[in-house]
Structure formats: structure tokens, C-alpha cells
Amino acid sequence: MLDTKNMDNINRIKQLKKEKNAIILAHNYQRGDVQDIADFVGDSFGLSKTAASHNADVIVFCGVDFMAESAAILSPEKTVLMPELNAQCPMAAMITPESLKLEKQKYPDAAVVCYVNTSASVKAQSDICCTSSNAIRVVNSLDEDEIIFIPDRNLARYVADNTEKKIIPWNGYCPTHHLILPGDILLEKEEHPEAEILVHPECRPDVVSLADKVLSTSGMLKYVARSDSREFIIGTEIGLLHRLSKENPEKRFIPATAYAVCPNMKMNTLESIIRALENNKHIIRVPEDTRRKAKLALDRMLAVGRGD
């Protein structure tokens, strides 16, 4: 049952959306009430693509910094608002354009494959982007035999196990997925022996090796909907369990660990969405030269396909 304050916030958001011709995008890791008020819930790049094809004038992106930037890259004519400016992605911050430039000098014959969890300025220096669901397909589509894969070393390792190309990983990682340990998976499997283990490729390799399926967040949602299993151990940020449970009420979802929480993802609230819409804050802009180069890397990815 919603309390009066929450109902007031929800009604105010609906009013502001109508006044501003705005849509709200929420990543799968957002708080449950933020997901529930959103027009679209999904993975980062999927949401940006949805927003680009929508007739809204204003996009409120409830996620982290690189996600709002991606929306601004694909929708330069729209106003992109980020309710919490401090909602930064720690992994995206682990690589800079300057450090990437130095890495490219060390491997002049290598192509740069850039995970979408990066800043626009890093995307602009990359040959092609990828998501967690299409990373293998993107790497295998390239003519180059050497691939600088940035910034996630765990996703890079997963790709390396599924390609004959030489993968040169960057030493970045997602702190939240890194909290999931093999022991967490094994303990939950002992408690729930019939449960399928689904983990995100941002997890440690020794966690990935225990999984029944290695999937992106959108991949997990699709797989669970089709599966005959009734229980699932979920190895990703716990925000996804809200949507999994909402869409599959007859199935049970067990977090690999209750500590897999991204504090930056959880910064967005109903109150901060209201402030963003009332005050037009915070507007995310990408310089045009950077935007064009970053969009080229994203367009090249789309030409390959996203995968499952």
C-alpha cells in the first residue's frame, strides 16, 4: 500500500511529465519505486535507443552518468536530465581519454572495443562499442586480430574465452559485481539445489564459471520468462530482482549476495525526479565533436547487432 507522501510524489511526477512532454527512463538497477514510475525500464543502451525514437522533448534518465550521456549522444535535439549529478559509474571512471590514447600507442595494430559503460569522450576514441550481450559478436566481427577491450577486465576475460582473437584487457571492473564471490553462489546453491544460476559477465571469472547461464540484465529477463525453472540465483545488482519478481510472480529469485548493491544507482528517488523536472536539472550535454565520434562507435555496434 502506498503512503500519502508517495502518492503525492507520483501524482506530481505525472503532472510534470505532461507539462514538459517528458519521459522517465529507469535502469534495471534502480530502486523499485523509481522503476515503477518510469515509462521505460531496461538496460542502459536499450533505454537510450528507446528515447531516441520517442516524441518526448525531455528525457529524465534515472541511472548513472554514462547512461545519460548516451541518451544525449543519440538525442541531441532533446533535453536530457540526470536527477542526481553525483550518480557516477565507478567502472567508467577507471579509464580516461588520455590513458586510452597511451594504450593505443602501445598496440598500434589493435582495434579498440569499448563497453558502453564508459564516458562519451572515451567512446569517441574507440573504434566500436559493445554491450554485455553482444560483446563476443562485436569482437568477432572485426578484421583486426588484436583487440584492446575497455574498461571491464571481467567482461574482457569472458570475451577472450569465446574468441580466437588476442584480447588486451583494461584493468577496470564493476565494484558491485566484484562483491559477488564463488562462496556466495555455492552457499545459495546448497540452500536451493534446484535453482538455476544466472550471472552477469561483469562478475569475476570464478563466479562466471559456476553459472548455468551468463547473461546481461535484458538477457536474464528474457531467459527467466522462457524457462521452466521455478527458482533462480541471480548474480547481478539486486535492483534487477524487483523487475524479475514483478514480471514473474510465480517464480522465486534469490540474490547471490545481499551486498551486490550499487550505491550510485540507488541515488535517484521520486523526490529527485520531481526536482529535475521542476528545475530542468541537471542537463547533460556532450560537445558536438565528441558526440559525433562517439555516435559513430555506437552506430558501428548497431550494424553488427546487439545479441540476446
Side-chain angles (χ1 to χ4, degrees):
M1 180 70 69
L2 290 172
D3 59 30
T4 304
K5 182 181 179 183
N6 266 354
M7 280 305 306
D8 288 344
N9 285 336
I10 290 169
N11 289 333
R12 178 60 176 153
I13 289 170
K14 289 179 178 177
Q15 177 189 4
L16 287 164
K17 277 171 45 183
K18 188 174 181 180
E19 291 175 4
K20 301 287 183 76
N21 188 27
I23 55 169
I24 298 171
L25 311 181
H27 189 269
N28 288 317
Y29 297 158
Q30 291 296 298
R31 299 167 181 266
D33 57 353
V34 171
Q35 291 188 41
D36 291 342
I37 195 64
D39 298 285
F40 302 99
V41 181
D43 61 22
S44 60
F45 190 63
L47 289 171
S48 293
K49 285 208 309 175
T50 297
S53 63
H54 200 278
N55 63 2
D57 296 315
V58 176
I59 301 166
V60 182
F61 210 127
C62 298
V64 289
D65 52 350
F66 75 84
M67 299 179 185
E69 280 192 342
S70 291
I73 289 168
L74 295 184
S75 302
E77 77 288 357
K78 298 177 182 179
T79 300
V80 178
L81 302 178
M82 186 175 168
E84 295 289 344
L85 203 56
N86 290 325
Q88 309 288 306
C89 173
M91 179 167 64
M94 291 179 188
I95 186 164
T96 64
E98 294 77 19
S99 58
L100 176 56
K101 185 177 181 180
L102 292 173
E103 190 76 352
K104 288 165 70 174
Q105 290 173 359
K106 288 161 59 178
Y107 303 98
D109 296 327
V112 178
V113 175
C114 171
Y115 191 21
V116 291
N117 297 35
T118 46
S119 68
S121 56
V122 167
K123 288 182 177 73
Q125 285 203 23
S126 303
D127 294 297
I128 190 169
C129 290
C130 75
T131 66
S132 56
S133 61
N134 71 9
I136 295 168
R137 184 184 297 183
V138 165
V139 165
N140 287 332
S141 75
L142 300 174
D143 293 330
E144 291 85 354
D145 293 323
E146 286 189 329
I147 308 294
I148 299 171
F149 194 99
I150 58 173
D152 184 8
R153 69 188 186 214
N154 291 329
L155 182 58
R157 171 66 180 273
Y158 177 67
V159 171
D161 289 341
N162 291 276
T163 184
E164 295 182 358
K165 295 179 184 289
K166 179 184 177 182
I167 302 296
I168 303 159
W170 188 259
N171 194 26
Y173 63 95
C174 169
T176 299
H177 284 93
H178 224 57
L179 288 172
I180 303 172
L181 302 175
D184 298 322
I185 301 290
L186 293 172
L187 282 171
E188 293 298 346
K189 184 65 174 178
E190 188 173 346
E191 290 286 325
H192 309 278
E194 300 302 316
E196 284 196 72
I197 302 169
L198 311 183
V199 308
H200 197 282
E202 288 181 25
C203 289
R204 301 164 180 260
D206 50 4
V207 169
V208 167
S209 68
L210 295 172
D212 294 304
K213 296 289 181 181
V214 183
L215 300 163
S216 65
T217 55
S218 58
M220 289 184 190
L221 288 157
K222 292 173 185 174
Y223 180 81
V224 164
R226 297 192 301 259
S227 176
D228 292 330
S229 297
R230 312 302 291 177
E231 285 190 322
F232 301 86
I233 296 166
I234 303 298
T236 192
E237 211 275 352
I238 64 171
L240 184 65
L241 274 73
H242 176 80
R243 185 173 172 191
L244 284 167
S245 299
K246 189 175 178 180
E247 294 182 2
N248 306 274
E250 75 288 357
K251 297 180 181 181
R252 185 179 183 191
F253 302 97
I254 303 110
T257 172
Y259 296 105
V261 179
C262 176
N264 293 0
M265 280 285 193
K266 298 296 190 278
M267 286 183 179
N268 296 289
T269 64
L270 298 184
E271 289 82 2
S272 63
I273 293 171
I274 291 171
R275 288 194 299 271
L277 284 166
E278 285 181 339
N279 304 311
N280 229 31
K281 291 197 173 180
H282 301 86
I283 299 177
I284 302 302
R285 296 187 177 93
V286 177
E288 182 57 22
D289 183 56
T290 300
R291 190 195 73 81
R292 283 190 295 101
K293 291 175 181 176
K295 186 174 184 298
L296 186 59
L298 289 168
D299 287 343
R300 286 171 178 159
M301 175 187 74
L302 291 174
V304 174
R306 293 196 66 207
D308 295 324

